[in-house]
Amino acid sequence: KEEGFDNSLFGAEAVRVVNAHDSKDPFFLYLAFTAPHTPFQAPQDYLDRYASIADPNRRAYAAMVSVIDDEVGKLVAALEKKGLRDNTLIVFSSDNGGVRSSLFSGDTKVTGDLPASNGPHRDGKGTLYEGGTRVVTLANWPGRIDAGVVDEPIHVTDWFPTFASLARASTEKSKPLDCMNVWSTV
């Protein structure tokens, strides 16, 4: 078994940052997990949760997603404990659709079927088809964002002017931006 990176380290560091933060000051935390990504691997206790999944890639993929889910849960709990949750905007997104071709699976050799599914969309990561470019994004801010679905296209770059506007910061001195404030859409 190849030993790999444990994504819970990212989550633990994010919780440490929140716990050490002075609640009187605003902050920005960017938490970028490296999973689910090749190589498909996860801590054994997470793999054991999915022992009923016969395909080893799908089992590891499910375990990797569960690590992220648990770590995000710990981060939200830390925000709640510090009294920051109601004044915190959480955005959860991906940079691309799931990998459907071994050409885009990274430097690690992948044997067997690739486990990601991009639903009804064609292809995946590394392509210009919707399976590679259309991803789900979740935005949550208690009391500020109502539950719902946005059907309009939003690009990840749109978050910069949106966050700047919410923070009452100017983007005037930025390089020309090919993005827009999408807060009214959210």
Side-chain angles (χ1 to χ4, degrees), residues 12-169:
E13 178 62 12
V15 168
R16 187 200 64 75
V17 167
V18 167
N19 289 337
H21 178 71
D22 183 346
S23 299
K24 293 177 283 189
D25 296 325
F27 73 103
F28 177 84
L29 175 67
Y30 178 76
L31 174 57
F33 291 100
T34 59
H37 205 280
T38 57
F40 300 127
Q41 55 193 9
Q44 190 61 49
D45 57 324
Y46 280 88
L47 292 168
D48 292 345
R49 292 183 190 182
Y50 298 98
S52 63
I53 299 176
D55 180 84
N57 286 342
R58 287 195 65 78
R59 181 173 46 254
Y61 197 85
M64 293 165 85
V65 170
S66 288
V67 170
I68 293 172
D69 188 48
D70 287 353
E71 295 306 313
V72 169
K74 291 174 188 175
L75 177 58
V76 170
L79 290 165
E80 288 174 351
K81 187 175 179 182
K82 288 281 286 198
L84 297 170
R85 182 61 193 102
D86 287 343
N87 197 27
T88 299
L89 167 61
I90 295 175
V91 176
F92 188 91
S93 189
S94 178
D95 57 347
N96 50 254
V99 65
R100 296 300 309 144
S101 167
S102 61
L103 289 173
F104 303 111
S105 66
D107 294 334
T108 306
K109 182 180 180 187
V110 177
T111 57
D113 291 331
L114 291 167
S117 170
N118 296 309
H121 304 301
R122 180 179 176 184
D123 222 328
K125 177 181 178 175
T127 72
L128 296 176
Y129 296 112
E130 286 193 66
T133 60
R134 180 180 261 194
V135 297
V136 172
T137 296
L138 307 169
N140 178 270
W141 195 355
R144 303 273 189 109
I145 299 176
D146 294 330
V149 175
V150 174
D151 289 325
E152 298 175 43
I154 295 175
H155 192 272
V156 68
T157 58
D158 293 329
W159 288 114
F160 172 64
T162 304
F163 293 156
S165 174
L166 290 171
R168 296 184 185 94

Side-chain angles (χ1 to χ4, degrees), residues 9 86 116 144 172-173:
L9 297 173
D86 287 343
R144 303 273 189 109
E172 189 175 291
K173 293 184 180 181

